[in-house]
Amino acid sequence: MKIAITGMGIVSAIGQNVEANKQSLIAEKTGIGKATLLQSRLTDTHLFGEVKISNEQLKQELNISADTLISRTSLLGIKAVKEALGQVSENKNLRAGLISGTSVGGMDRTEGFFREKIKEEKTDRITDLLTHDCGDTTDKIAEYFGGFTYVNTISTACSSSANTIMMGANLIKTGKLDRVIVGGIDPLSAFTANGFNSLMILDTEWCKPFSANRKGLNLGEGAAFLILESDKVLKDNSSKVIGYVSGYANANDAYHQTASSPDGRGATMAMTNALKMAGVNPSEISYINAHGTGTNNNDESESTAINNVFGAAKPPISSTKAYTGHTLGAAGAIEAVFSVLALQNNWVFPNLNFQEQIAENDWEPALKMEDRPLKHVLSNSFGFGGNNSSLILSKA
């Protein structure tokens, strides 16, 4: 059973709506550069995929009171969900759900509180801690729009929002819900910047996914949400189908807390099982939107897994993280939006900054914007702890 996609919204470093992201992808325009909003000592030395809109500007745009206790995570999420909802018909009789993925939660507010507290200054910002947990970020989005009969949050690191898409599809397949808004959000934060820096996997220059001389990733921020609908909803309204979720799988190889297995075991299982669910042979995949972070470990492991599944007959492959940075919990949904855009326009997006083929690979990624007939796109999202997720998105 394929699940219809009828709407999508996105905020990323390359644009604050779907059209702006599309134009940046076409122009091969990266959003990675110097951060101006993030408060971190690393902004002087590292590059980030920052969304150039402040929390104050977001509140004003969304008509949210300036003194409302709300995190940047929720604000970015509301903006993306609002765009997605604007593409479908309103129906208050639907059993509607919201599932959001995030890693950072409301850290942008709690970090501010702790900065003051560490200095032993008096602070009345202790209420900022109320926005910290991941669930609060979803609750704030649900409260803004209303009308949800089911609300949930998933936090599985970098596969978080890919897993929301799977869960939403399952709730529709089992008849629990009629329409589900699925996706994820992560803002930049000092915690994640320092954490990834401590792992020594941040690049001080533009990241180079799948390049032999890659040095690490660039962190990014953003939000993306897709609207999934059942056949029943499609019969009762005029929603336009823009794509389908035809297959998906999650597999955990439990190899390491932060590293992927060298043999690509979990990623291989995720891709193989997603293909089985979709009833699609590897030869029918038109394009692979790879996880492709630009770290030595991920790109080696994912390359091995792709070889395990596709052998010598690989379709075009690229990572779009050199456009947006690695947006952590939002990555799966952001790249699902990019995959739908690829399907709609028959595009393969270039792998920016590539310089040198990995010696063990018998392929190099797509290097130029390419027009070619697309039917199915495989999109990978691999998280810490071996939480590997693969989606197969298909043309409407």
Side-chain angles (χ1 to χ4, degrees):
M1 176 185 179
K2 294 189 297 185
I3 302 297
I5 304 168
T6 57
M8 56 189 188
I10 184 170
V11 184
S12 80
I14 61 171
Q16 295 180 27
N17 53 52
V18 172
E19 182 60 26
N21 275 265
K22 176 182 170 182
Q23 294 304 320
S24 291
L25 288 166
I26 294 170
E28 301 183 18
K29 178 184 176 183
T30 184
I32 296 170
K34 287 291 185 181
T36 57
L37 299 171
L38 172 65
Q39 294 185 50
S40 167
R41 60 184 175 81
L42 296 178
T43 56
D44 291 334
T45 54
H46 290 70
L47 304 178
F48 297 89
E50 186 175 67
V51 177
K52 300 302 184 185
I53 182 170
S54 69
N55 292 355
E56 292 72 26
Q57 289 171 315
L58 282 164
K59 285 183 178 180
Q60 186 174 11
E61 177 184 326
L62 299 168
N63 199 27
I64 295 172
S65 173
D67 58 1
T68 298
L69 189 65
I70 187 169
S71 66
R72 181 170 180 81
T73 310
S74 296
L75 291 169
L76 291 170
I78 290 169
K79 183 172 172 62
V81 170
K82 189 173 184 178
E83 182 184 15
L85 284 172
Q87 298 166 24
V88 298
S89 60
E90 185 178 359
N91 187 336
K92 294 182 179 179
N93 296 320
L94 294 179
R95 295 170 300 165
L98 170 67
I99 310 173
S100 178
T102 184
S103 297
V104 173
M107 284 186 190
D108 66 297
R109 293 194 68 97
T110 50
E111 284 180 349
F113 165 77
F114 281 111
R115 282 191 189 97
E116 292 185 4
K117 197 65 178 173
I118 287 169
K119 293 176 182 177
E120 297 183 357
E121 296 176 359
K122 290 183 179 180
T123 177
D124 58 0
R125 293 183 56 177
I126 195 166
T127 53
D128 283 2
L129 300 180
L130 297 173
T131 71
H132 181 78
D133 70 88
C134 295
D136 178 78
T137 66
T138 311
D139 288 342
K140 290 293 195 302
I141 299 170
E143 289 166 10
Y144 183 90
F145 294 102
F148 294 110
T149 58
Y150 179 87
V151 177
N152 206 343
T153 307
I154 290 178
S155 187
T156 54
C158 308
S159 61
S160 297
S161 55
N163 288 334
T164 70
I165 294 171
M166 297 188 200
M167 186 174 186
N170 282 336
L171 288 168
I172 289 175
K173 285 183 178 180
T174 55
K176 299 288 196 301
L177 294 173
D178 303 314
R179 172 184 285 168
V180 192
I181 301 172
V182 292
I185 327 123
D186 262 331
L188 288 168
S189 73
F191 177 84
T192 49
N194 292 337
F196 277 82
N197 190 49
S198 71
L199 293 172
M200 296 182 287
I201 55 174
L202 289 184
D203 196 340
T204 56
E205 301 174 346
W206 283 340
C207 65
K208 297 177 282 292
F210 297 113
S211 190
N213 60 340
R214 64 197 184 280
K215 295 179 181 177
L217 59 84
N218 304 130
L219 282 173
E221 66 178 349
F225 285 85
L226 300 93
I227 297 180
L228 308 183
E229 295 192 354
S230 67
D231 290 337
K232 172 181 174 292
V233 174
L234 295 175
K235 290 175 184 176
D236 295 342
N237 67 29
S238 57
S239 294
K240 179 183 177 183
V241 178
I242 59 175
Y244 291 98
V245 179
S246 54
Y248 47 87
N250 173 270
N252 196 317
D253 57 24
Y255 171 74
H256 188 271
Q257 286 182 325
T258 60
S260 301
S261 55
D263 61 3
R265 184 179 305 173
T268 300
M269 287 191 292
M271 287 188 280
T272 300
N273 291 335
L275 288 164
K276 285 180 180 177
M277 176 184 282
V280 170
N281 293 318
S283 61
E284 295 177 89
I285 295 296
S286 312
Y287 167 43
I288 299 174
N289 185 335
H291 188 55
T293 61
T295 63
N296 283 325
N297 173 252
N298 174 87
D299 292 6
E300 177 185 338
S301 176
E302 187 172 12
S303 294
T304 300
I306 289 171
N307 191 61
N308 292 343
V309 177
F310 292 89
K314 298 175 182 69
I317 303 164
S318 71
S319 167
T320 53
K321 287 186 173 64
Y323 282 94
T324 63
H326 189 357
T327 56
L328 306 182
I334 285 175
E335 289 158 28
V337 170
F338 291 169
S339 297
V340 173
L341 286 173
L343 288 161
Q344 287 179 317
N345 298 280
N346 292 311
W347 290 333
V348 169
F349 301 121
N351 194 105
L352 303 182
N353 308 327
F354 177 84
Q355 295 175 349
E356 182 182 349
Q357 184 176 318
I358 295 172
E360 294 77 15
N361 285 356
D362 62 355
W363 58 276
E364 62 178 35
L367 301 181
K368 294 181 180 179
M369 192 75 176
E370 190 176 334
D371 292 320
R372 60 184 295 136
L374 300 186
K375 188 175 180 182
H376 304 289
V377 173
L378 171 67
S379 186
N380 287 331
S381 297
F382 304 145
F384 281 171
N387 198 295
N388 303 286
S389 296
S390 293
L391 303 171
I392 294 178
L393 302 155
S394 302
K395 187 183 288 289

